């Protein structure tokens, strides 16, 4: 099978090679279509909503009124809530240590702040998660766009992070202005400011225990690049990692980011650049500085990126999904000499807006699930282990 060997070249130079001994062994996947008709499919989240220990899939589709979930392993469809407008993101976590998580949902979204109410709501089940849940609004913040749970102080009590897409006065096409980053403590649900130094569009955030101290830091991807927010004794500290894509505003910076484990457990960052961009960029530290390498420049509206070890070699692969006319999902495998091998996970019927990594059939292998926007579908890519030579 022919593969693209990427990395160690000029950003737009791609060389075609053939897999040979010494290159990473890719994982083999079996594709399952779990649902269709998910108009404007935007986000998929793996979470155990049935309380049986299996990861179910929550499917958020911005063009639908209903938020739905699919029960593992039958993948039966259930409605969480209805009568919603322009849902954009959710995050699930067991806020009260119960077996079933609560969900926080962002809805009434629009790219233009003046048209975006930005409703943030707490969803709780009423004893049976297969029946409609209760809805309690907790905030209104225009362009509320990315919701994630994070343990920012190492207490084990997570807070909800909310990253609006833009500031309240930003307008297309430049979206100039400061973009806030905020959080809420469960129970209080009072908005607290993390910072507002990011400018333009903040499209992606990723929560990670950066210093291996039990505390989550927050990576942000915005028009001004990649930045790290950490809570310390004197409050929040923001550290610049990179300016991202070097083109002039509004084609500058980063769009989505994830942290991965490289050879020798060395951390790397993977990003889609610029906003809804065509590039997959990898960042590594050399001599204390972060270096940027573009490993693919062929995405059509890149919109989701994640890292996980799919072939059980103790090195994380990169998954990048793109939702344009030439849509699909790619996996990139790291080579010891620094390059990357690109494989197609789905080159046909998946305009991926979001993907998630989770062991969906409890076989010890990490699977992938993706939701499509233009294709309006939900797929499970079952990990069958390493491909045989």
């Amino acid at each position: 099978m022919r593969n693209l060997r990427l990395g160690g070249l000029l950003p737009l130079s791609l060389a075609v090679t053939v897999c040979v001994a010494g290159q990473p062994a890719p994982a083999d996947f079996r594709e399952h279509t779990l649902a269709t008709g998910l108009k404007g499919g935007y986000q998929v989240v793996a979470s155990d909503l049935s309380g049986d220990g299996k990861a179910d899939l929550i499917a958020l589709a911005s063009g639908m009124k209903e938020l739905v979930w699919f029960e593992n392993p039958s993948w039966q469809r259930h409605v969480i809530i209805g009568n919603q407008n322009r849902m954009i993101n959710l995050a699930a976590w067991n806020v009260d240590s119960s077996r079933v998580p609560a969900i926080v949902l962002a809805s009434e979204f629009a790219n233009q702040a003046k048209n975006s109410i930005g409703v943030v709501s707490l969803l709780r089940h009423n004893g049976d998660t297969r029946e409609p849940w209760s809805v309690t609004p907790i905030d209104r913040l225009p362009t509320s766009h990315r919701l994630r749970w994070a343990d920012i102080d190492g207490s084990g009590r997570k807070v909800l992070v909310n990253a609006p897409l833009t500031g309240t006065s930003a307008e297309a096409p430049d979206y100039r202005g400061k973009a806030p980053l905020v959080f809420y403590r469960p129970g209080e649900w009072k908005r607290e400011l993390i910072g507002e130094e990011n400018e333009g569009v903040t499209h992606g955030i990723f929560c990670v225990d950066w210093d291996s101290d039990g505390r989550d830091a927050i990576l942000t991807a915005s028009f001004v690049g990649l930045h790290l927010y950490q809570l310390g004794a004197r409050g929040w500290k923001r550290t610049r990692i990179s300016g991202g894509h070097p083109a002039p505003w509004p084609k500058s910076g980063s769009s989505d980011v994830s942290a991965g484990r490289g050879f020798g457990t060395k951390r790397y960052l993977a990003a889609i650049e610029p906003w809804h961009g065509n590039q997959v960029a990898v960042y590594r530290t050399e001599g204390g500085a972060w270096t940027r390498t573009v490993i693919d420049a062929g995405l059509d509206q890149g919109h989701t990126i994640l890292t996980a070890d799919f072939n059980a070699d103790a090195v994380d692969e990169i998954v990048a999904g793109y939702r344009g006319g030439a849509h699909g999902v790619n996996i990139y495998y790291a080579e010891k000499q620094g390059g990357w091998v690109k494989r197609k996970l789905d080159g046909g019927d998946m305009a991926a807006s979001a993907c998630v990594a989770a062991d969906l059939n409890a076989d010890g292998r990490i699977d992938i699930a993706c939701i499509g926007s233009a294709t309006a579908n939900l797929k499970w890519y079952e990990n069958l282990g390493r491909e045989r030579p």
Side-chain angles (χ1 to χ4, degrees):
M1 179 176 290
R2 295 180 69 84
N3 296 284
L4 288 177
R5 182 181 178 187
L6 307 169
L9 303 171
L10 293 175
L12 298 183
S13 299
L14 305 179
V16 178
T17 71
V18 178
C19 279
V20 296
Q23 288 188 347
D28 191 20
F29 292 87
R30 179 187 294 131
E31 178 183 307
H32 307 268
T33 296
L34 303 184
T36 58
L38 299 172
K39 183 180 179 182
Y42 195 83
Q43 186 192 19
V44 57
V45 171
S47 184
D48 180 12
L49 296 192
S50 62
D52 64 357
K54 300 184 181 72
D56 307 300
L57 293 175
I58 308 171
L60 181 152
S62 297
M64 293 174 54
K65 295 285 189 179
E66 296 178 332
L67 178 65
V68 299
W69 69 283
F70 295 87
E71 186 172 357
N72 189 348
S74 68
W75 303 114
Q76 182 178 353
R77 179 182 184 271
H78 305 289
V79 176
I80 299 174
I81 54 170
N83 299 317
Q84 298 298 303
N85 295 314
R86 302 190 303 278
M87 295 179 291
I88 195 68
N89 226 235
L90 67 87
W93 187 62
N94 299 41
V95 297
D96 54 6
S97 300
S98 66
R99 289 194 307 165
V100 178
I103 296 172
V104 180
L105 173 71
S107 61
E108 298 286 357
F109 172 82
N111 279 356
Q112 292 272 72
K114 62 185 179 183
N115 301 324
S116 178
I117 300 173
V119 177
V120 183
S121 301
L122 175 66
L123 315 182
R124 286 187 177 274
H125 69 89
N126 296 302
D128 185 348
T129 57
R130 298 170 182 85
E131 296 297 325
W133 295 32
S134 62
V135 183
T136 305
I138 60 175
D139 198 10
R140 289 193 173 199
L141 181 58
T143 73
S144 290
H145 181 255
R146 289 289 181 263
L147 302 178
R148 301 290 186 268
W149 289 100
D151 183 357
I152 59 175
D153 58 8
S155 66
R157 298 185 295 272
K158 294 187 178 184
V159 302
L160 179 78
V161 180
N162 180 4
L165 185 74
T166 70
T168 56
S169 60
E171 293 191 11
D174 284 351
Y175 297 99
R176 293 281 182 181
K178 302 287 187 179
L181 184 65
V182 305
F183 75 94
Y184 312 83
R185 300 180 191 275
E188 301 174 15
W189 302 116
K190 178 182 177 182
R191 187 198 308 168
E192 299 183 47
L193 182 67
I194 296 173
E196 50 186 354
E197 297 90 349
N198 287 349
E199 297 182 57
V201 166
T202 299
H203 189 262
I205 61 173
F206 184 81
C207 300
V208 58
D209 185 351
W210 189 259
D211 294 325
S212 300
D213 60 358
R215 299 184 178 198
D216 286 336
I218 305 164
L219 282 165
T220 63
S222 72
F223 275 11
V224 290
L226 297 174
H227 292 82
L228 183 73
Y229 285 85
Q230 295 170 288
L231 180 62
R234 298 184 178 181
W236 289 94
K237 176 185 176 183
R238 176 178 181 262
T239 303
R240 182 181 185 272
I241 292 175
S242 172
H245 190 269
W249 187 297
K251 297 296 183 180
S252 58
S254 286
S255 184
D256 297 273
V257 63
S258 182
R261 178 184 55 178
F263 290 100
T265 70
K266 291 184 178 179
R267 176 190 289 124
Y268 69 84
L269 303 181
I272 289 176
E273 296 175 345
W275 182 30
H276 294 170
N278 66 312
Q279 297 181 352
V280 177
V282 172
Y283 292 85
R284 292 190 175 101
T285 52
E286 294 182 7
W290 289 91
T291 62
R292 176 180 185 263
T293 302
V294 175
I295 67 168
D296 195 356
L299 304 189
D300 187 350
Q301 290 190 39
H303 202 266
T304 182
I305 198 160
L306 61 88
T307 52
D309 183 7
F310 300 106
N311 61 354
D313 64 354
V315 175
D316 287 344
E317 285 72 55
I318 300 170
V319 174
Y322 42 106
R323 62 180 191 174
H327 46 253
V329 185
N330 300 336
I331 302 183
Y332 306 84
Y333 295 86
E335 297 179 301
K336 286 187 177 180
Q337 60 268 38
W340 294 80
V341 175
K342 171 182 171 182
R343 301 281 294 233
K344 288 281 188 183
L345 178 67
D346 194 315
D349 187 32
M350 174 49 65
S353 282
C355 297
V356 64
D359 183 0
L360 296 178
N361 56 357
D363 66 353
R365 304 186 185 104
I366 302 176
D367 307 305
I368 302 169
C370 297
I371 192 168
S373 50
T375 50
N377 53 354
L378 176 67
K379 287 187 180 183
W380 165 35
Y381 304 91
E382 180 185 1
N383 189 343
L384 304 178
R386 293 190 184 187
E387 284 186 350
R388 295 181 178 180

